[in-house]
Amino acid sequence: MGETNKYRCFNEDYSLEGKVALITGASNGIGMEITKMFARKGADIVTFDLKRSEEVENYITDQGRQCLTVEGDLTVTQDIQNAVDKAIEKFGRIDVLVNCAGIGFLEMAAESTEKVWDMTMAVNLTGSTRMALAVGKTMIKNGGGSIINIASQAGVVALERHLAYGTAKAGIIQMTKQLALEWGQYGVRINAISPTIILTQMGEMNWNNEKGEAFKKTIPSRRFGYPEEVAACAVYLASDAASLFNGANLVIDGGFTIS
Ligand SMILES: NC(=O)c1ccc[n+]([C@@H]2O[C@H](COP(=O)([O-])OP(=O)(O)OC[C@H]3O[C@@H](n4cnc5c(N)ncnc54)[C@H](O)[C@@H]3O)[C@@H](O)[C@H]2O)c1
Protein backbone atom coordinates (compact mmCIF):
# COMPACT_ATOMS: atom_id res chain seq x y z
CA MET A 1 0.00 0.00 0.00
CA GLY A 2 1.39 3.42 -0.91
CA GLU A 3 1.97 6.20 1.65
CA THR A 4 -1.19 8.02 0.56
CA ASN A 5 -3.35 5.01 1.39
CA LYS A 6 -2.12 4.66 4.99
CA TYR A 7 -4.88 4.96 7.55
CA ARG A 8 -4.04 7.26 10.46
CA CYS A 9 -5.50 6.02 13.74
CA PHE A 10 -7.26 8.52 15.95
CA ASN A 11 -8.97 8.51 19.30
CA GLU A 12 -12.61 7.56 18.65
CA ASP A 13 -13.73 9.35 21.82
CA TYR A 14 -12.55 12.64 20.26
CA SER A 15 -10.18 13.17 23.18
CA LEU A 16 -8.29 16.47 23.24
CA GLU A 17 -5.86 15.25 25.88
CA GLY A 18 -2.41 16.79 25.53
CA LYS A 19 -3.69 19.64 23.36
CA VAL A 20 -3.45 23.36 24.16
CA ALA A 21 -6.39 25.44 22.92
CA LEU A 22 -6.67 29.22 22.69
CA ILE A 23 -10.35 30.21 22.73
CA THR A 24 -11.57 33.77 22.08
CA GLY A 25 -14.88 34.91 23.52
CA ALA A 26 -14.47 32.25 26.22
CA SER A 27 -16.26 34.20 28.96
CA ASN A 28 -19.78 33.90 27.55
CA GLY A 29 -22.23 31.98 25.41
CA ILE A 30 -20.90 29.63 22.75
CA GLY A 31 -17.25 30.34 23.62
CA MET A 32 -17.88 29.44 27.25
CA GLU A 33 -19.51 26.11 26.34
CA ILE A 34 -16.70 25.30 23.90
CA THR A 35 -14.18 26.05 26.65
CA LYS A 36 -15.98 23.83 29.17
CA MET A 37 -16.36 20.93 26.72
CA PHE A 38 -12.71 21.22 25.63
CA ALA A 39 -11.65 21.06 29.30
CA ARG A 40 -13.83 17.95 29.82
CA LYS A 41 -12.15 16.44 26.76
CA GLY A 42 -8.73 17.01 28.31
CA ALA A 43 -7.39 20.20 26.71
CA ASP A 44 -5.44 22.89 28.57
CA ILE A 45 -6.95 26.27 27.77
CA VAL A 46 -5.90 29.85 27.10
CA THR A 47 -8.97 32.07 27.36
CA PHE A 48 -9.06 35.42 25.55
CA ASP A 49 -11.90 37.86 26.17
CA LEU A 50 -12.56 41.49 27.04
CA LYS A 51 -13.25 40.40 30.62
CA ARG A 52 -12.12 37.30 32.48
CA SER A 53 -14.69 34.86 33.88
CA GLU A 54 -13.98 33.25 37.23
CA GLU A 55 -16.69 30.69 36.50
CA VAL A 56 -14.80 29.55 33.42
CA GLU A 57 -11.40 29.59 35.13
CA ASN A 58 -12.69 27.50 38.05
CA TYR A 59 -14.43 25.09 35.71
CA ILE A 60 -11.22 24.41 33.77
CA THR A 61 -9.11 23.82 36.87
CA ASP A 62 -11.87 21.66 38.43
CA GLN A 63 -11.46 19.36 35.41
CA GLY A 64 -7.79 19.02 36.31
CA ARG A 65 -6.73 21.10 33.32
CA GLN A 66 -4.46 24.15 33.21
CA CYS A 67 -5.92 27.58 32.47
CA LEU A 68 -4.24 30.77 31.35
CA THR A 69 -6.47 33.84 31.23
CA VAL A 70 -5.56 36.73 28.96
CA GLU A 71 -7.82 39.77 28.95
CA GLY A 72 -7.73 41.64 25.67
CA ASP A 73 -9.59 43.24 22.81
CA LEU A 74 -9.61 41.55 19.41
CA THR A 75 -9.58 44.96 17.73
CA VAL A 76 -6.17 45.74 19.28
CA THR A 77 -3.34 44.01 17.43
CA GLN A 78 -0.96 44.20 20.44
CA ASP A 79 -3.57 42.39 22.58
CA ILE A 80 -3.66 39.57 20.04
CA GLN A 81 0.13 39.25 19.96
CA ASN A 82 0.25 39.44 23.76
CA ALA A 83 -2.17 36.49 24.05
CA VAL A 84 -0.14 34.41 21.60
CA ASP A 85 3.17 35.27 23.31
CA LYS A 86 1.81 34.43 26.77
CA ALA A 87 0.36 31.14 25.53
CA ILE A 88 3.67 30.11 23.96
CA GLU A 89 5.57 31.21 27.07
CA LYS A 90 3.39 29.04 29.34
CA PHE A 91 2.65 26.02 27.15
CA GLY A 92 5.31 26.11 24.41
CA ARG A 93 2.73 25.78 21.62
CA ILE A 94 -0.92 26.25 20.59
CA ASP A 95 -2.58 23.20 19.02
CA VAL A 96 -6.08 24.61 18.56
CA LEU A 97 -7.45 28.11 18.04
CA VAL A 98 -11.18 28.73 18.33
CA ASN A 99 -12.04 32.15 16.95
CA CYS A 100 -15.40 32.60 18.69
CA ALA A 101 -15.50 36.19 19.97
CA GLY A 102 -17.96 38.26 18.00
CA ILE A 103 -20.64 40.93 18.15
CA GLY A 104 -24.07 40.96 16.53
CA PHE A 105 -25.81 44.25 15.92
CA LEU A 106 -28.57 44.07 13.33
CA GLU A 107 -30.08 46.91 11.29
CA MET A 108 -31.95 47.34 8.02
CA ALA A 109 -29.63 48.37 5.16
CA ALA A 110 -31.42 51.67 4.53
CA GLU A 111 -30.95 52.68 8.18
CA SER A 112 -27.49 51.19 8.58
CA THR A 113 -24.83 53.14 10.42
CA GLU A 114 -21.09 53.45 9.91
CA LYS A 115 -20.62 52.63 13.59
CA VAL A 116 -22.19 49.16 13.33
CA TRP A 117 -20.36 48.39 10.07
CA ASP A 118 -16.97 49.49 11.43
CA MET A 119 -17.35 47.70 14.78
CA THR A 120 -18.63 44.51 13.18
CA MET A 121 -15.82 44.35 10.64
CA ALA A 122 -13.18 45.23 13.26
CA VAL A 123 -14.19 42.47 15.69
CA ASN A 124 -15.79 39.75 13.58
CA LEU A 125 -13.60 39.85 10.48
CA THR A 126 -10.36 41.79 11.01
CA GLY A 127 -9.83 40.68 14.61
CA SER A 128 -10.52 37.03 13.86
CA THR A 129 -8.26 37.11 10.80
CA ARG A 130 -5.40 38.74 12.72
CA MET A 131 -5.75 36.16 15.50
CA ALA A 132 -5.72 33.31 12.93
CA LEU A 133 -2.58 34.76 11.33
CA ALA A 134 -0.76 35.25 14.64
CA VAL A 135 -1.59 31.75 15.92
CA GLY A 136 -1.25 30.05 12.53
CA LYS A 137 2.36 31.18 12.14
CA THR A 138 3.25 29.45 15.44
CA MET A 139 1.37 26.32 14.31
CA ILE A 140 3.37 26.19 11.06
CA LYS A 141 6.60 26.34 13.11
CA ASN A 142 5.34 23.60 15.43
CA GLY A 143 4.27 21.25 12.66
CA GLY A 144 0.51 21.73 12.64
CA GLY A 145 -2.71 22.63 14.41
CA SER A 146 -6.42 23.23 14.00
CA ILE A 147 -8.06 26.65 13.60
CA ILE A 148 -11.83 26.82 14.02
CA ASN A 149 -13.64 29.99 12.99
CA ILE A 150 -17.17 30.54 14.26
CA ALA A 151 -19.03 32.03 11.28
CA SER A 152 -22.84 31.92 10.89
CA GLN A 153 -25.71 30.84 8.65
CA ALA A 154 -25.82 34.59 7.92
CA GLY A 155 -22.54 34.19 6.06
CA VAL A 156 -24.12 31.55 3.80
CA VAL A 157 -27.48 33.10 2.88
CA ALA A 158 -28.78 36.68 2.87
CA LEU A 159 -30.98 37.67 5.81
CA GLU A 160 -32.80 40.93 6.49
CA ARG A 161 -30.96 43.31 8.88
CA HIS A 162 -27.68 41.40 8.43
CA LEU A 163 -25.71 43.71 6.09
CA ALA A 164 -22.63 44.14 8.30
CA TYR A 165 -22.90 40.89 10.27
CA GLY A 166 -23.61 38.66 7.25
CA THR A 167 -20.88 40.29 5.15
CA ALA A 168 -18.33 39.84 7.96
CA LYS A 169 -19.34 36.19 8.43
CA ALA A 170 -19.13 35.49 4.68
CA GLY A 171 -15.65 37.04 4.90
CA ILE A 172 -14.74 34.61 7.69
CA ILE A 173 -15.85 31.65 5.55
CA GLN A 174 -13.66 32.89 2.69
CA MET A 175 -10.73 33.62 5.07
CA THR A 176 -11.08 30.01 6.23
CA LYS A 177 -10.71 28.75 2.65
CA GLN A 178 -7.77 31.06 1.86
CA LEU A 179 -5.75 29.92 4.89
CA ALA A 180 -6.70 26.28 4.34
CA LEU A 181 -5.37 26.48 0.80
CA GLU A 182 -2.00 27.89 1.85
CA TRP A 183 -1.46 26.11 5.16
CA GLY A 184 -2.81 22.59 4.60
CA GLN A 185 0.66 21.53 3.44
CA TYR A 186 2.06 22.45 6.88
CA GLY A 187 -0.45 20.33 8.80
CA VAL A 188 -2.52 23.35 9.80
CA ARG A 189 -6.25 22.79 9.22
CA ILE A 190 -8.62 25.74 9.12
CA ASN A 191 -12.37 25.14 9.23
CA ALA A 192 -15.50 27.16 9.97
CA ILE A 193 -18.69 26.39 11.87
CA SER A 194 -21.85 28.19 10.78
CA PRO A 195 -24.63 27.96 13.35
CA THR A 196 -28.23 29.03 13.12
CA ILE A 197 -29.57 31.12 15.99
CA ILE A 198 -28.09 29.82 19.22
CA LEU A 199 -29.69 30.50 22.57
CA THR A 200 -27.04 32.72 24.16
CA GLN A 201 -27.07 36.34 25.32
CA MET A 202 -26.51 37.43 21.69
CA GLY A 203 -29.14 35.02 20.36
CA GLU A 204 -31.71 36.08 22.96
CA MET A 205 -31.00 39.80 22.38
CA ASN A 206 -31.84 39.55 18.68
CA TRP A 207 -34.34 36.72 18.50
CA ASN A 208 -36.30 36.39 21.75
CA ASN A 209 -39.27 38.16 20.12
CA GLU A 210 -41.99 37.75 17.50
CA LYS A 211 -39.43 37.81 14.66
CA GLY A 212 -37.68 34.89 16.35
CA GLU A 213 -40.90 32.85 16.59
CA ALA A 214 -41.60 33.49 12.88
CA PHE A 215 -38.00 32.60 11.99
CA LYS A 216 -38.22 29.27 13.83
CA LYS A 217 -41.04 28.21 11.49
CA THR A 218 -38.68 28.59 8.50
CA ILE A 219 -36.14 26.14 9.98
CA PRO A 220 -36.87 22.57 8.86
CA SER A 221 -36.00 21.29 12.36
CA ARG A 222 -38.28 24.01 13.84
CA ARG A 223 -35.94 25.03 16.63
CA PHE A 224 -32.92 27.14 17.50
CA GLY A 225 -29.67 25.62 18.75
CA TYR A 226 -27.90 25.29 22.06
CA PRO A 227 -24.29 26.36 22.68
CA GLU A 228 -23.37 22.77 23.62
CA GLU A 229 -24.35 21.62 20.11
CA VAL A 230 -21.87 24.06 18.57
CA ALA A 231 -19.25 23.02 21.13
CA ALA A 232 -19.61 19.40 19.99
CA CYS A 233 -18.79 20.48 16.40
CA ALA A 234 -15.72 22.34 17.66
CA VAL A 235 -14.52 19.30 19.64
CA TYR A 236 -14.78 17.21 16.47
CA LEU A 237 -12.89 19.72 14.31
CA ALA A 238 -10.20 20.12 16.99
CA SER A 239 -9.74 16.37 17.33
CA ASP A 240 -7.48 14.15 15.25
CA ALA A 241 -10.63 12.43 13.95
CA ALA A 242 -11.10 15.47 11.68
CA SER A 243 -7.57 15.40 10.28
CA LEU A 244 -8.79 15.47 6.64
CA PHE A 245 -11.17 18.38 7.25
CA ASN A 246 -9.59 21.50 5.79
CA GLY A 247 -11.33 24.60 4.44
CA ALA A 248 -14.76 23.21 5.29
CA ASN A 249 -17.76 25.04 6.66
CA LEU A 250 -19.71 22.86 9.06
CA VAL A 251 -23.24 24.25 8.92
CA ILE A 252 -25.34 23.53 12.03
CA ASP A 253 -28.68 25.11 11.20
CA GLY A 254 -31.45 22.51 11.40
CA GLY A 255 -31.53 22.62 7.60
CA PHE A 256 -32.24 26.37 7.30
CA THR A 257 -29.81 26.95 4.43
CA ILE A 258 -30.64 23.85 2.34
CA SER A 259 -33.25 25.53 0.14
N1 LIG B 1 -25.82 33.35 19.28
C1 LIG B 1 -26.13 33.17 18.03
O1 LIG B 1 -27.31 33.12 17.64
C2 LIG B 1 -25.03 32.97 17.01
C3 LIG B 1 -25.37 32.39 15.77
C4 LIG B 1 -24.37 32.21 14.81
C5 LIG B 1 -23.07 32.61 15.10
N2 LIG B 1 -22.78 33.16 16.31
C6 LIG B 1 -21.40 33.58 16.56
O2 LIG B 1 -20.88 32.86 17.66
C7 LIG B 1 -19.93 33.66 18.35
C8 LIG B 1 -20.29 33.74 19.82
O3 LIG B 1 -21.59 34.27 19.96
P1 LIG B 1 -22.38 34.25 21.35
O4 LIG B 1 -23.82 34.16 21.03
O5 LIG B 1 -21.76 33.26 22.25
O6 LIG B 1 -22.07 35.74 21.85
P2 LIG B 1 -21.94 36.32 23.34
O7 LIG B 1 -22.25 37.76 23.21
O8 LIG B 1 -22.71 35.50 24.31
O9 LIG B 1 -20.38 36.14 23.64
C9 LIG B 1 -19.41 36.78 22.86
C10 LIG B 1 -18.11 36.88 23.65
O10 LIG B 1 -17.15 37.55 22.83
C11 LIG B 1 -16.50 38.54 23.60
N3 LIG B 1 -16.07 39.65 22.77
C12 LIG B 1 -16.84 40.52 22.07
N4 LIG B 1 -16.07 41.46 21.48
C13 LIG B 1 -14.79 41.17 21.80
C14 LIG B 1 -13.53 41.78 21.50
N5 LIG B 1 -13.45 42.90 20.77
N6 LIG B 1 -12.42 41.22 22.01
C15 LIG B 1 -12.46 40.10 22.76
N7 LIG B 1 -13.62 39.48 23.08
C16 LIG B 1 -14.77 40.02 22.61
C17 LIG B 1 -17.55 39.02 24.60
O11 LIG B 1 -16.96 39.65 25.72
C18 LIG B 1 -18.25 37.70 24.94
O12 LIG B 1 -17.66 37.04 26.03
C19 LIG B 1 -19.92 35.02 17.65
O13 LIG B 1 -18.86 35.06 16.72
C20 LIG B 1 -21.25 35.03 16.93
O14 LIG B 1 -21.24 35.88 15.80
C21 LIG B 1 -23.73 33.35 17.27
Side-chain angles (χ1 to χ4, degrees):
M1 216 192 279
E3 178 68 27
T4 49
N5 289 329
K6 270 193 188 150
Y7 177 67
R8 264 185 67 194
C9 290
F10 54 83
N11 181 301
E12 291 184 10
D13 293 329
Y14 309 120
S15 167
L16 302 182
E17 225 151 288
K19 292 190 191 293
V20 177
L22 193 162
I23 302 174
T24 75
S27 296
N28 269 298
I30 297 171
M32 180 191 274
E33 289 310 326
I34 292 174
T35 302
K36 289 180 173 178
M37 204 177 279
F38 271 39
R40 293 201 292 279
K41 284 291 175 190
D44 294 321
I45 317 272
V46 183
T47 66
F48 179 87
D49 205 304
L50 293 171
K51 274 197 183 156
R52 70 193 310 145
S53 157
E54 262 183 50
E55 179 193 333
V56 169
E57 289 166 357
N58 291 338
Y59 190 94
I60 295 168
T61 49
D62 285 350
Q63 301 304 309
R65 309 317 319 169
Q66 295 187 69
C67 171
L68 171 68
T69 302
V70 185
E71 283 182 330
D73 185 338
L74 256 193
T75 64
V76 179
T77 305
Q78 297 94 297
D79 287 3
I80 291 175
Q81 197 53 52
N82 178 47
V84 175
D85 291 346
K86 284 199 168 138
I88 299 291
E89 195 181 295
K90 182 169 171 73
F91 294 109
R93 64 184 202 287
I94 301 166
D95 301 298
V96 182
L97 164 67
V98 184
N99 249 328
C100 187
I103 52 172
F105 296 102
L106 309 183
E107 48 186 21
M108 293 298 280
E111 283 98 49
S112 60
T113 58
E114 283 188 1
K115 190 176 170 196
V116 164
W117 177 272
D118 290 346
M119 273 171 49
T120 305
M121 290 300 156
V123 180
N124 292 8
L125 184 56
T126 309
S128 296
T129 303
R130 289 193 176 142
M131 181 60 92
L133 289 172
V135 175
K137 286 176 198 166
T138 73
M139 288 176 167
I140 290 172
K141 266 194 210 145
N142 290 329
S146 170
I147 297 176
I148 299 159
N149 295 319
I150 307 300
S152 168
Q153 64 182 8
V156 178
V157 292
L159 294 169
E160 257 185 20
R161 303 188 296 144
H162 282 67
L163 174 64
Y165 186 83
T167 305
K169 292 299 189 181
I172 287 184
I173 294 167
Q174 185 63 19
M175 174 264 276
T176 301
K177 293 183 193 173
Q178 293 295 144
L179 297 183
L181 180 72
E182 293 194 21
W183 290 353
Q185 63 187 310
Y186 305 118
V188 182
R189 305 183 288 109
I190 302 92
N191 296 287
I193 298 174
S194 285
T196 186
I197 293 149
I198 303 295
L199 298 166
T200 64
Q201 209 174 314
M202 183 192 290
E204 300 269 356
M205 174 179 85
N206 287 314
W207 299 102
N208 188 8
N209 50 34
E210 270 176 27
K211 275 199 173 88
E213 285 312 304
F215 197 110
K216 229 181 265 179
K217 295 194 177 100
T218 66
I219 302 175
S221 297
R222 298 286 189 272
R223 70 171 179 89
F224 295 152
Y226 296 98
E228 292 84 348
E229 295 176 295
V230 182
C233 296
V235 166
Y236 172 66
L237 289 175
S239 77
D240 297 336
S243 67
L244 198 55
F245 258 79
N246 190 28
N249 181 23
L250 209 51
V251 180
I252 168 169
D253 68 348
F256 178 70
T257 59
I258 56 177
S259 53

